[in-house]
């Protein structure tokens, strides 16, 4: 992609001015990204630029602080009495958590520094799309409240699970609380991804309605006396696909890490719960029930996030498929040369530019991804149980 050549350029261009409505749509996400030390770009004086050196140092400092807290937790874990009751596998899981979270903070920092220019290009594409789409203000308002509700639910859920776990064991540690809240940044990446995808999918749905109306009614002159702007519709569709490609580049590593974290966490904690059940069987142990409840809720939370990303991707895939279907129907009722060129362009773009989002060739992100993850976890759970109780 050509953006690689200007990956670290941060000059203010006239074309980089910020639209107030788009800024308002993404403001909740950008606010939490900043306070968690992982801003994606800089907006100042009405212009958007890639992160400056100071912002990059801010991100690196945040990652260093969070990693230091994680390491401190491991070094002082043997002094915390509650961990004396944990099984070997559960203790191993705590070390694994620290290693995984440290990798996550490094990934967040790397992506937000290395792909800051791509995030700016994505932002500008969203602005360009917004200017041509009918009902754009309503779409942006829906996306904003969608992200706000998700952020509130996830943040409150994180605090609730932390409180339940630590109150159950009559134990509180400010470093554990800081780490748990910092890990919220991993979930925030998925909320951001869902918001962008929902905006693109809803915008494309509105564009499809316009294509259907103009093509099927064989409109040659609009009510204001002008001709249908097929070139503008074509350019908007190209911008949607460009924004989708920028999105894939900026979020691929973040979504891959969250999926990897969800799977590995479940494998480790399922084995831990099995060990707890074996240790206290046939009695009912409160520790096993507590850990099992926390793991179950955490798994449901992560899978729900994966579902939201998969459904958002599937909605966008469906919208692009609908565009091609509408164009196929209208081939027999072409109203102008511009209309004919547009129909050909859509089919060519869908064959050459558009393809489903692949995670480094390992799996495709779509509506079936959560089901595949659950199937994989269920299979390994059966294997763990066979080895545990053979």
């Amino acid at each position: 992609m050509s953006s690689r050549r200007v990956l670290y350029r941060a000059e203010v261009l006239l074309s980089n001015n910020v639209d107030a409505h788009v800024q308002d749509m993404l403001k909740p996400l950008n606010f939490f990204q900043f306070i968690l030390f992982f801003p994606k770009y800089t907006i100042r004086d009405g212009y958007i630029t890639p992160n400056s050196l100071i912002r990059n140092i801010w991100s690196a400092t945040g990652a260093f602080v969070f990693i230091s807290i994680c390491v401190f937790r491991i070094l002082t874990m043997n002094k915390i009495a509650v961990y004396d009751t944990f099984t070997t596998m559960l203790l191993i899981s705590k070390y694994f958590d620290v290693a995984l979270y440290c990798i996550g903070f490094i990934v967040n920092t790397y992506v937000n520094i290395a792909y800051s220019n791509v995030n700016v290009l994505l932002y500008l594409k969203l602005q360009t799309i917004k200017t041509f789409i009918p009902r754009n203000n309503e779409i942006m308002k829906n996306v904003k409240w969608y992200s706000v509700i998700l952020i509130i639910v996830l943040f409150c859920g994180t605090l609730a699970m932390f409180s339940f776990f630590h109150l159950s064991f009559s134990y509180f540690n400010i470093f554990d609380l800081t780490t748990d809240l910092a890990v919220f940044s991993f979930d925030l990446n998925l909320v951001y991804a869902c918001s962008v995808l929902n905006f693109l999918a809803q915008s494309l749905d509105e564009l499809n309605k316009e294509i259907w109306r103009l093509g099927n009614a064989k409109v040659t002159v609009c009510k204001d006396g002008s001709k249908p702007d097929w070139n503008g519709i074509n350019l908007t569709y190209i911008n949607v696909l460009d924004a989708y490609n920028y999105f894939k580049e900026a979020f691929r590593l973040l979504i891959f890490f969250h999926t990897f974290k969800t799977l590995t966490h479940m494998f480790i904690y399922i084995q831990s719960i099995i060990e707890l059940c074996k240790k206290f069987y046939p009695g009912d142990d409160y520790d096993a029930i507590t850990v099992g409840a926390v793991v179950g809720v955490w798994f449901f939370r992560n899978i729900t996030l994966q579902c939201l990303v998969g459904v958002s991707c599937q909605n966008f895939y469906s919208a692009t498929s609908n565009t091609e279907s509408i164009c196929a129907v209208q081939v027999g009722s072409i109203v102008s040369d511009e209309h004919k060129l547009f129909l050909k362009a859509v089919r060519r773009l869908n064959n050459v530019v558009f393809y489903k989002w692949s995670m480094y060739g390992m799996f495709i992100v779509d509506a079936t991804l959560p089901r595949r993850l659950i199937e994989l976890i269920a299979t390994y759970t059966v294997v763990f149980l066979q080895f545990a109780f053979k």
Side-chain angles (χ1 to χ4, degrees):
M1 186 177 294
S2 59
S3 62
R4 287 288 190 179
R5 300 177 183 176
V6 291
L7 199 58
Y8 296 102
R9 289 180 60 186
E11 55 185 305
V12 177
L13 305 175
L14 292 178
S15 59
N16 286 9
N17 60 305
V18 174
D19 181 272
H21 294 95
V22 178
Q23 183 179 5
D24 184 62
M25 177 182 72
L26 297 176
K27 185 177 290 184
L29 294 164
N30 292 332
F31 171 75
F32 276 95
Q33 291 273 356
F34 179 78
I35 64 174
L36 290 173
F37 293 90
F38 301 116
K40 294 186 178 297
Y41 40 73
T42 301
I43 296 179
R44 181 176 298 169
D45 299 328
Y47 290 92
I48 181 172
T49 61
N51 286 329
S52 62
L53 178 61
I54 295 177
R55 286 285 185 116
N56 291 338
I57 293 175
W58 171 261
S59 294
T61 301
F64 176 77
V65 170
F66 292 146
I67 290 173
S68 299
I69 292 174
C70 288
V71 173
F72 178 80
R73 286 178 62 190
I74 287 299
L75 294 178
T76 59
M77 195 169 66
N78 60 341
K79 299 179 182 180
I80 300 175
V82 68
Y83 290 126
D84 294 339
T85 62
F86 280 18
T87 63
T88 302
M89 197 64 195
L90 205 53
L91 289 174
I92 291 174
S93 71
K94 302 301 292 183
Y95 289 98
F96 180 80
D97 283 350
V98 168
L100 198 60
Y101 293 160
C102 289
I103 294 173
F105 296 138
I106 293 172
V107 167
N108 268 354
T109 304
Y110 167 75
V111 169
N112 290 329
I113 292 176
Y115 291 90
S116 183
N117 192 75
V118 178
N119 283 311
V120 171
L121 293 173
L122 171 60
Y123 188 101
L124 295 175
K125 283 295 179 182
L126 297 182
Q127 285 191 170
T128 305
I129 294 167
K130 171 254 179 186
T131 58
F132 196 87
I133 297 297
R135 295 177 57 249
N136 54 63
N137 290 334
E138 182 179 341
I139 292 173
M140 287 186 291
K141 186 180 295 184
N142 292 338
V143 171
K144 176 185 176 180
W145 284 110
Y146 172 88
S147 62
V148 168
I149 292 172
L150 269 183
I151 289 172
I152 293 174
V153 170
L154 289 172
F155 187 77
C156 293
T158 300
L159 286 178
M161 283 189 289
F162 174 87
S163 302
F164 173 74
F165 182 83
H166 287 80
L167 289 175
S168 298
F169 289 101
S170 301
Y171 154 71
F172 175 80
N173 188 309
I174 189 62
F175 297 108
D176 284 2
L177 176 61
T178 304
T179 304
D180 288 348
L181 293 179
V183 170
F184 176 68
S185 63
F186 305 152
D187 301 329
L188 195 63
N189 291 326
L190 272 71
V191 177
Y192 205 117
C194 290
S195 299
V196 172
L197 284 169
N198 286 336
F199 176 80
L200 293 177
Q202 292 181 45
S203 298
L204 196 49
D205 285 337
E206 289 299 317
L207 191 65
N208 288 339
K209 293 177 183 177
E210 187 70 6
I211 297 169
W212 180 265
R213 183 184 69 83
L214 294 176
N216 282 38
K218 297 184 179 181
V219 176
T220 56
V221 180
C222 298
K223 293 181 179 180
D224 59 359
S226 62
K227 292 184 178 180
D229 189 8
W230 289 109
N231 291 330
I233 294 175
N234 184 36
L235 184 59
T236 302
Y237 187 71
I238 293 173
N239 286 329
V240 169
L241 294 185
D242 285 344
Y244 172 63
N245 287 328
Y246 288 139
F247 164 80
K248 289 190 297 183
E249 185 174 355
F251 284 87
R252 179 177 283 112
L253 185 57
L254 299 174
I255 302 300
F256 177 80
F257 170 76
H258 192 277
T259 306
F260 175 78
K261 179 175 76 71
T262 300
L263 278 177
T264 51
H265 257 154
M266 283 311 301
F267 293 155
I268 292 289
Y269 280 114
I270 286 172
Q271 183 64 29
S272 301
I273 293 173
I274 292 174
E275 280 197 2
L276 281 172
C277 291
K278 287 178 62 179
K279 179 179 179 181
F280 297 102
Y281 181 84
D284 294 326
D285 181 69
Y286 184 71
D287 291 352
I289 296 174
T290 302
V291 173
V294 171
V295 170
V297 173
W298 199 268
F299 172 69
F300 176 78
R301 177 175 178 270
N302 287 336
I303 286 295
T304 300
L305 282 171
Q306 293 289 334
C307 284
L308 293 175
V309 173
V311 170
S312 299
C313 283
Q314 193 64 49
N315 289 338
F316 181 76
Y317 302 154
S318 298
T320 56
S321 178
N322 290 340
T323 306
E324 188 168 1
S325 299
I326 292 172
C327 291
V329 170
Q330 294 182 359
V331 167
S333 57
I334 296 175
V335 297
S336 65
D337 291 339
E338 291 81 6
H339 185 203
K340 181 179 180 180
L341 291 174
F342 167 72
L343 298 181
K344 289 183 177 180
V346 168
R347 302 187 71 175
R348 183 178 66 253
L349 288 169
N350 279 10
N351 290 331
V352 177
V353 178
F354 172 76
Y355 55 91
K356 289 187 176 183
W357 196 14
S358 171
M359 290 290 107
Y360 303 102
M362 297 183 184
F363 55 87
I364 299 293
V365 182
D366 57 15
T368 64
L369 176 60
R371 176 181 59 80
R372 297 198 300 269
L373 293 177
I374 293 173
E375 288 177 351
L376 184 61
I377 292 171
T379 300
Y380 275 86
T381 301
V382 172
V383 173
F384 291 152
L385 289 171
Q386 288 176 339
F387 278 103
F389 297 102
K390 64 178 181 179

